[in-house]
Amino acid sequence: MGKILGAAIVSHHPGLMQCEEFRVLQGAGSDSDLISGYACLRERIKAAKPDAILIFDSHWFTTGYHLVDGGEKFEGSYISDEMPWYLHGVPYSYLGCPDLAVQVEAVSRERKGYVRNIRHPELGKQYATINLVKHLHLELSKTPVLTVSSCQNCEWPQFLQSGEDIGEAIRRSDLNVVLLASGALSHKFNGIDWRPNHPRIFHESNVSRPENIESDKAAIELMRQGRHDEILARWDDDYRRKPWEAFGAHYLQMLGAMGGATCRAKGEPLSAYENARGTGNIHVWFDVSETASQGNSGAAGQLAAA
């Protein structure tokens, strides 16, 4: 029987893929704390000794289905269609997790869900996955990676349901897995002519709006307490309206896999809360106990009906 060993919200912002010299210069002499946070996350993952890493990718937008990329191996040179002037020529070569992808689709179909396995060698990758593969040294460790999409024509309880199906598939497998929700919290960009409020480019005061900082920090505190139910209770009135990156798909799917509103896994920040072109970013690690990672069948449906 497989299980979830741990989970994390992880920032992937593209500035972290630049060379260190460029980042230091852009930060007026102060680098992003998210870089050292990756080192802390690597230690958590190393200690957990997972058989596979599952990444909820907030940049892989799909329509009609939540998809898992069930390829056996991913290899190529990454270029960002969003920022090709500096994100280009990034080589990658890492293992997939095809057996788990097959299991995820089977479980989702059984539960009348909408998660499907896709295998297309030409399918492009997103830096929300590639950045984590690089910074967490998943190529070197040869840890298999399964990437999950964010289906854009979903309501938020349907992201929880997607996560529930994935969590059940993990439990039915023989794999121990770490979940990574790759994305920001509030995701309102500063304008193209924006000028920093603070000389340290990554400083939290450069997040787009004061109310977004307040909201993000309130969510981080609830994560510290393990009160994911309170975050969900505020979703429509707060976090959906800010909104979070990919409307929170990465967090909601991760949470669904860990039990949804019943999950009490407490979050440990592994970095400072930071700005990235106006968006709110942080790494938060969740130690998932056996009880916290148990499935909560029907929780998403109950929330949707509430």
Side-chain angles (χ1 to χ4, degrees):
M1 180 177 178
K3 63 182 178 180
I4 297 167
L5 301 175
I9 291 177
V10 190
S11 174
H12 60 240
H13 85 73
L16 306 181
M17 295 182 76
Q18 298 165 344
C19 68
E20 183 175 358
E21 180 182 6
F22 184 88
R23 285 189 281 102
V24 170
L25 288 173
Q26 189 157 343
S30 180
D31 201 5
S32 169
D33 190 55
L34 294 166
I35 299 297
S36 60
Y38 278 127
C40 294
L41 182 54
R42 287 197 300 270
E43 290 303 311
R44 297 295 193 284
I45 293 172
K46 183 179 179 181
K49 300 179 181 178
D51 300 310
I53 300 288
L54 192 147
I55 297 176
F56 297 103
D57 187 317
S58 59
H59 276 227
W60 183 19
F61 285 109
T62 53
T63 307
Y65 289 109
H66 313 277
L67 297 181
V68 292
D69 192 337
E72 294 184 6
K73 186 173 183 179
F74 306 105
E75 195 165 16
S77 179
Y78 175 74
I79 180 170
S80 166
D81 56 1
E82 183 183 354
M83 285 159 284
W85 60 92
Y86 75 78
L87 272 187
H88 60 85
V90 180
Y92 61 87
S93 178
Y94 62 98
L95 299 175
C97 197
D99 291 345
L100 181 56
V102 170
Q103 179 81 300
V104 166
E105 175 167 344
V107 169
S108 186
R109 285 184 179 275
E110 174 191 312
R111 294 158 63 102
K112 304 190 185 308
Y114 294 91
V115 189
R116 298 293 182 265
N117 177 22
I118 196 78
R119 293 186 66 173
H120 282 298
E122 293 91 7
L123 183 63
K125 300 292 171 279
Q126 307 296 328
Y127 66 74
T129 289
I130 298 298
N131 197 357
L132 270 56
V133 167
K134 290 294 185 182
H135 277 292
L136 299 177
H137 300 173
L138 301 181
E139 294 167 304
L140 298 174
S141 67
K142 300 189 184 303
T143 306
V145 175
L146 182 63
T147 298
V148 182
S149 78
S150 300
C151 182
Q152 62 186 339
N153 57 319
C154 287
E155 298 298 326
W156 65 266
Q158 293 166 322
F159 287 121
L160 286 176
Q161 180 63 57
S162 165
E164 287 179 16
D165 293 349
I166 290 167
E168 178 62 19
I170 291 171
R171 284 183 287 275
R172 294 189 193 181
S173 76
D174 60 355
L175 299 174
N176 294 324
V177 179
V178 166
L179 309 177
L180 301 178
S182 180
L185 302 185
S186 64
H187 202 250
K188 172 66 176 177
F189 287 114
N190 290 320
I192 195 169
D193 57 353
W194 168 72
R195 294 294 180 268
N197 300 318
H198 193 283
R200 283 179 53 203
I201 197 73
F202 299 119
H203 194 270
E204 67 176 53
S205 64
N206 289 327
V207 170
S208 57
R209 296 172 178 171
E211 59 267 32
N212 287 2
I213 298 173
E214 181 181 1
S215 174
D216 286 349
K217 287 190 170 184
I220 293 166
E221 180 55 34
L222 289 172
M223 290 175 193
R224 284 182 188 268
Q225 300 171 23
R227 295 310 305 265
H228 303 278
D229 56 329
E230 298 251 355
I231 294 176
L232 295 180
R234 301 182 189 186
W235 198 268
D236 284 326
D237 294 331
D238 192 344
Y239 308 117
R240 175 62 180 83
R241 294 178 183 275
K242 289 303 182 267
W244 282 15
E245 185 163 15
F247 303 112
H250 53 311
Y251 167 74
L252 292 168
Q253 290 183 96
M254 177 189 73
L255 183 61
M258 297 193 296
T262 67
C263 177
R264 291 294 181 270
K266 293 183 178 180
E268 176 190 358
L270 300 182
S271 72
Y273 170 71
E274 292 189 1
N275 158 72
R277 196 69 197 193
T279 68
N281 290 258
I282 192 171
H283 304 320
V284 181
W285 172 259
F286 301 96
D287 279 320
V288 182
S289 70
E290 187 66 27
T291 54
S293 64
Q294 290 301 311
N296 185 29
S297 181
Q302 293 166 13
L303 282 165

